[in-house]
Amino acid sequence: MKIENAVALVTGANRGIGLAFARELLARGARKVYVGARDPAAVTQSGVQALRLDVTKSEDVSSAAALASDVTLVINNAGIAQTGGFLAADSEDAARRIFETNFFAVLRVSKAFAPVLKANGGGALLNVLSVASWVNGGELAAYSASKSAAWSLTNALRSELATQKTQVLALHMAYVDTDLTRGFDVPKSSPEEIVKRALDGLESGFDEVLADELTLQVKRGMTAPRPSYLPQAS
Ligand SMILES: NC(=O)c1ccc[n+]([C@@H]2O[C@H](COP(=O)([O-])OP(=O)(O)OC[C@H]3O[C@@H](n4cnc5c(N)ncnc54)[C@H](OP(=O)(O)O)[C@@H]3O)[C@@H](O)[C@H]2O)c1
């Protein structure tokens, strides 16, 4: 889809990758950008419409879908992460909390906005996933599992929304320089470069964007003799 004149909603867009999406959408000529935030007062970006939207609250999601009835592009960006493996003492609670935001909220927002997108000609849904959809080494165990589940959800939604001509794009990438990765001493992409690649892919009609070299390597390596999702010999 074309961004020029689009009406976009980005969840979790008061900071990080979501904020970079909001800025790039404005730069590409979007007619309106709704910035979803748990606290609308935290939205400092000018030229956008702040919208109270805690994606884990069904009342917020239904109000947003009623209010933002002109939306043609939904970006499911809001997400949380927690380090730790499945054998950690709090792993079940952590997994439930993470899945509530990274999986069930993506489902909730997508369902609420599917009729809005249909009424506005089809439009597009862009789900922010991760290279962690395909690899899980246990450091971010529940997070990675939630992104695998959200990847599967995205693939199902692409099929289900095909009849109403909604483009569904999955965005996968490794580390990006935001608050979420502050504690990780690893190479990181900037939010701006990831967002540009994602929106280039959207405008080119793609179903999937692999936004950095590591993600491309992991995807290519999935059919290697020793697949990339298994522990590699050091
Ligand atoms: N950073 C990376 O390396 C990386 C890599 C791959 C994928 N991703 C994905 O990219 C997305 C954005 O991550 P980020 O790096 O920008 O993280 P971030 O800097 O921590 O920002 C997360 C955003 O999500 C919002 N959020 C969290 N829970 C929410 C909820 N229940 N309702 C509404 N908003 C909520 C936060 O709002 P508050 O300010 O209210 O907390 C914040 O605006 C996530 O889906 C993440 O999994 C990130």
Side-chain angles (χ1 to χ4, degrees), residues 151-227:
W151 177 47
S152 180
L153 168 65
T154 304
N155 290 332
L157 288 173
R158 187 176 299 107
S159 299
E160 293 188 55
L161 292 171
T163 51
Q164 66 173 56
K165 301 199 183 319
T166 299
Q167 180 187 352
V168 177
L169 186 143
L171 171 64
H172 299 271
M173 67 281 202
Y175 294 101
V176 185
D177 194 6
T178 66
D179 295 339
L180 190 131
T181 59
R182 194 178 288 146
F184 295 86
D185 185 18
V186 290
K188 296 172 193 173
S189 303
S190 73
E192 291 74 22
E193 61 187 312
I194 295 297
V195 157
K196 282 196 171 82
R197 286 176 196 147
L199 294 183
D200 285 350
L202 190 76
E203 297 209 88
S204 301
F206 294 172
D207 290 332
E208 187 170 76
V209 168
L210 313 181
D212 56 35
E213 190 49 40
L214 179 61
T215 303
L216 280 164
Q217 275 175 23
V218 166
K219 188 79 188 297
R220 278 192 215 110
M222 289 179 78
T223 56
R226 179 76 184 169

Side-chain angles (χ1 to χ4, degrees), residues 12-18 38 53-56 77-80 101 128-130 143 147 173-176 178-181:
N14 50 297
R15 60 191 172 98
I17 296 167
R38 288 194 271 211
L53 181 53
D54 182 332
V55 292
T56 63
N77 166 77
I80 57 171
T101 302
V128 179
L129 305 174
S130 171
Y143 173 81
K147 291 294 183 183
M173 67 281 202
Y175 294 101
V176 185
T178 66
D179 295 339
L180 190 131
T181 59

Side-chain angles (χ1 to χ4, degrees), residues 19 21 25 44 51-52 66-67 70 73 86 93 101 116 119-120 122 132-133 138 144 169 179 233:
L19 176 58
F21 265 118
L25 287 163
T44 52
L51 195 63
R52 179 178 302 282
L67 199 141
D70 50 353
L73 166 62
F86 283 130
D93 287 345
T101 302
V116 174
N120 295 326
S133 310
S144 303
L169 186 143
D179 295 339

Side-chain angles (χ1 to χ4, degrees), residues 64-112:
L67 199 141
S69 60
D70 50 353
V71 161
T72 59
L73 166 62
V74 174
I75 301 184
N76 277 310
N77 166 77
I80 57 171
Q82 180 178 319
T83 52
F86 283 130
L87 300 181
D90 67 342
S91 66
E92 287 177 57
D93 287 345
R96 284 200 179 85
R97 197 173 59 83
I98 292 168
F99 266 73
E100 193 50 55
T101 302
N102 295 3
F103 176 77
F104 288 107
V106 177
L107 172 57
R108 186 178 298 118
V109 170
S110 304
K111 268 174 85 174

Side-chain angles (χ1 to χ4, degrees), residues 9-12 35-40 51-57 60-62 64 78 109 113:
L9 165 74
V10 188
T11 68
V35 162
R38 288 194 271 211
D39 175 13
L51 195 63
R52 179 178 302 282
L53 181 53
D54 182 332
V55 292
T56 63
K57 292 189 174 158
D60 277 16
V61 174
S62 36
V109 170
F113 277 91

